[in-house]
Amino acid sequence: MDGDVAVGVKRGSDELLSGSHYNSPNSSVTSNGSDSKKLRVEENPPSRVIHIRKLPNEVSETEVIALGLPFGKVTNILMLKGKNQAFLEMGTEEAAITMVNYYTTVTPQVRNVPVFIQYSNHKELKTDSALNQRAQAVLQAVSAVQDGSSPNSESGGSESVLPAPSPVLRIIIDNMFYPVTLDVLQQIFSKFGTVMKIITFTKNNQFQALLQYSEPVNAQQAKLSLDGQNIYNSCCTLRIDYSKLVNLNVKYNNDKSRDYTRPELPAGDGQDSSMNKDSTSLLGSPTAAPFSSGGGYSSSLCLAQGRGAISPLSAAAAAAAAAGRVALAGHSGSSGVLLVSNLNEEMVTPQSLFTLFGVYGDVQRVKILFNKKDSALIQLSDGNQAQLAMSHLNGQKMYGKIIRVTLSKHQTVQLPRDGLDDQGLTKDFANSPLHRFKKPGSKNFQNIFPPSATMHLSNIPEDVTEEDLRLLFSNAGGTVKAFKFFQDRKMALLQMATVEEAIQALIDLHNYDMGGGHRLRVSFSKSTI
């Protein structure tokens, strides 16, 4: 059996083959019998140290701690990642008994993988702090969060943490500078159990979601671990509470709602159900998204990369983040390649795609497909930039056609072999001087907005007039509705008649040579004139 070996720790070992009570529906072990001819099993007496086996690879300390959180205070942890095992010390024996009894009837899961839980031979854990530093830092951070969330948790007994009143969570996202897709929510929350249904909506100008687990205990684990955490650096803060509902009624599987138990549900609203799993913007058309203020775009999820997150639990969250706590949406390792379809094949070029998608990330390569020239692969620097570009540009109009943007299976965009003429369909932009996000701390990180009719212009020469700019943008094929110089006249706002016209103007005029070494910089603005 994988992992069924004696595990050496400083104080001896738990003899896994000599007798313990395995609390799992998958196990036929009983206290007075055996589950094989070779294995004689005796039930271990209760202990406040819990032994957890069959953990999935790359499991985090937080995910293991989350198994014990609903039952009381967790006071110590020892990870044995090489053996896919861990030891969890609860505050009291009563809390451990409650935990083991619960998981006797409900299969414990980590990352949707069943794990085995049993009492340990140890009565307490004595861990070498030097070897176990990371786990201890995570435990301290989670304990701080738990103490803030559960005033009674000091007692640590079975009555200290009330069971979750509902398997349904109500999630409010504060400081929502970037769209949070339904798939991102599913990824974050599925780390704590099976997510069955999600409904998203906007109420009081706030993006909210209702999320239903298969078990109330999963909702409790998720609330304790995620409440107050940020999805992206310093923004998109999760506020989580229990819903009064105990069951969600989902009618459609689309970008606003999903019932994962009923894949046959219609998309509704005329949406293409085949696009649903590819996570279009939850807020409908990105142009209608309620971005109330400009935030700092994160090149990676804050907790995924161990960066400090600003939140109501800032001290605990920062400590947890520094210890490499939970990777929320987990995009840091995902592909940065997008598939863009329904392009106007008569008009589109690698350069035009580079310019438009470059608003949301540093485009490395573009490949228009040889046998399907209305589709292209676009490789950005990382998965987060790809996700951001997808959420903003899917469903937008480019050269008269509504484009579709999804994540690609490909990890990279292949360049043509040396000497092979691909008719200019593939272009490498890795060394382009036009990348907006190469410089750390660049103001461009604070100025990422959905496509809008109003554009922000910068790097304008002193002798260029309003009339010059109106004429320039009119010639790009649209109507200039309004114009406003900033005080220093080096920057301006210019509003086109439609978002499509603004997209066209940005493609044509970003990096336009204004003379005297000035190249015009064009981006979308959240402002109106």
Side-chain angles (χ1 to χ4, degrees), residues 382-527:
D382 59 45
N384 300 299
Q385 292 186 359
Q387 183 82 22
L388 196 68
M390 179 177 73
S391 65
H392 283 314
L393 294 176
N394 180 57
Q396 293 293 345
K397 225 176 203 184
M398 179 183 181
Y399 296 128
K401 299 192 76 171
I402 294 173
I403 63 171
R404 296 293 176 202
V405 186
T406 60
L407 292 171
S408 168
K409 300 180 292 190
H410 296 281
Q411 296 300 307
T412 59
V413 171
Q414 296 295 324
L415 293 172
R417 293 191 299 276
D418 286 345
L420 185 70
D421 178 19
D422 78 337
Q423 302 172 16
L425 296 176
T426 308
K427 189 155 184 186
D428 187 353
F429 293 98
N431 297 316
S432 171
L434 298 181
H435 286 156
R436 295 177 188 246
F437 308 106
K438 198 174 275 185
K439 185 180 175 185
S442 164
K443 285 185 180 178
N444 292 328
F445 285 98
Q446 279 84 49
N447 292 298
I448 300 176
F449 304 107
S452 65
T454 306
M455 289 171 291
H456 181 273
L457 316 180
S458 60
N459 210 28
I460 302 169
E462 288 178 10
D463 57 347
V464 170
T465 65
E466 175 179 337
E467 192 55 43
D468 293 332
L469 290 166
R470 280 179 175 268
L471 183 62
L472 181 65
F473 279 80
S474 297
N475 289 341
T479 304
V480 177
K481 301 286 285 185
F483 182 92
K484 180 184 176 184
F485 264 124
F486 284 63
Q487 197 167 3
D488 62 3
R489 295 182 68 85
K490 292 179 182 176
M491 296 188 289
L493 294 176
L494 185 144
Q495 185 180 334
M496 304 298 287
T498 65
V499 175
E500 183 186 1
E501 287 182 8
I503 288 174
Q504 181 65 54
L506 182 139
I507 289 171
D508 291 346
L509 297 173
H510 177 62
N511 201 45
Y512 183 83
D513 188 354
M514 302 291 290
H518 289 270
R519 295 228 169 227
L520 188 65
R521 297 284 179 260
V522 185
S523 57
F524 297 115
S525 173
K526 67 181 170 64
S527 306

Side-chain angles (χ1 to χ4, degrees), residues 108-310:
Q109 292 194 340
V110 176
R111 299 191 184 191
N112 293 323
V113 175
V115 298
F116 293 74
I117 286 182
Q118 63 198 74
Y119 294 119
S120 166
N121 288 335
H122 302 306
K123 293 302 176 188
E124 63 177 314
L125 274 182
K126 288 187 178 176
T127 50
D128 185 327
S129 59
L131 296 175
N132 207 33
Q133 243 173 357
R134 172 192 160 94
Q136 293 305 308
V138 174
L139 181 63
Q140 286 172 17
V142 174
S143 297
V145 173
Q146 189 184 22
D147 289 346
S149 305
S150 296
N152 299 322
S153 62
E154 286 301 316
S155 64
S158 58
E159 296 177 1
S160 67
V161 179
L162 295 173
S166 166
V168 179
L169 293 175
R170 183 175 70 112
I171 302 155
I172 297 174
I173 298 183
D174 287 334
N175 305 320
M176 187 165 163
F177 298 147
Y178 306 110
V180 174
T181 65
L182 187 143
D183 284 346
V184 165
L185 288 174
Q186 196 268 344
Q187 277 186 286
I188 293 169
F189 284 85
S190 64
K191 291 183 183 297
F192 299 92
T194 303
V195 174
M196 299 177 70
K197 304 171 187 179
I198 305 176
I199 297 172
T200 66
F201 54 95
T202 300
K203 185 178 179 183
N204 301 328
N205 288 325
Q206 280 190 307
F207 177 72
Q208 302 190 22
L210 293 169
L211 182 145
Q212 181 177 340
Y213 279 108
S214 55
E215 297 288 338
V217 69
N218 302 135
Q220 191 164 25
Q221 289 171 344
K223 181 179 184 305
L224 281 169
S225 294
L226 296 177
D227 189 24
Q229 297 302 313
N230 294 333
I231 298 175
Y232 297 101
N233 261 352
S234 307
C235 67
C236 299
T237 306
L238 295 165
R239 279 205 289 126
I240 303 171
D241 215 332
Y242 300 113
S243 170
K244 293 176 183 175
L245 301 171
V246 292
N247 186 47
L248 299 179
N249 181 23
V250 176
K251 295 180 180 177
Y252 302 114
N253 282 342
N254 55 34
D255 58 357
K256 293 184 175 65
S257 63
R258 193 82 51 86
D259 186 336
Y260 295 93
T261 66
R262 299 180 64 197
E264 75 284 357
L265 286 178
D269 300 328
Q271 296 183 57
D272 179 3
S273 60
S274 67
M275 299 293 296
N276 292 338
K277 64 182 178 181
D278 294 308
S279 177
T280 55
S281 170
L282 281 182
L283 303 169
S285 166
T287 55
F291 294 95
S292 57
S293 59
Y297 163 70
S298 166
S299 61
S300 61
L301 295 172
C302 62
L303 296 183
Q305 293 298 316
R307 294 195 180 107
I310 299 168

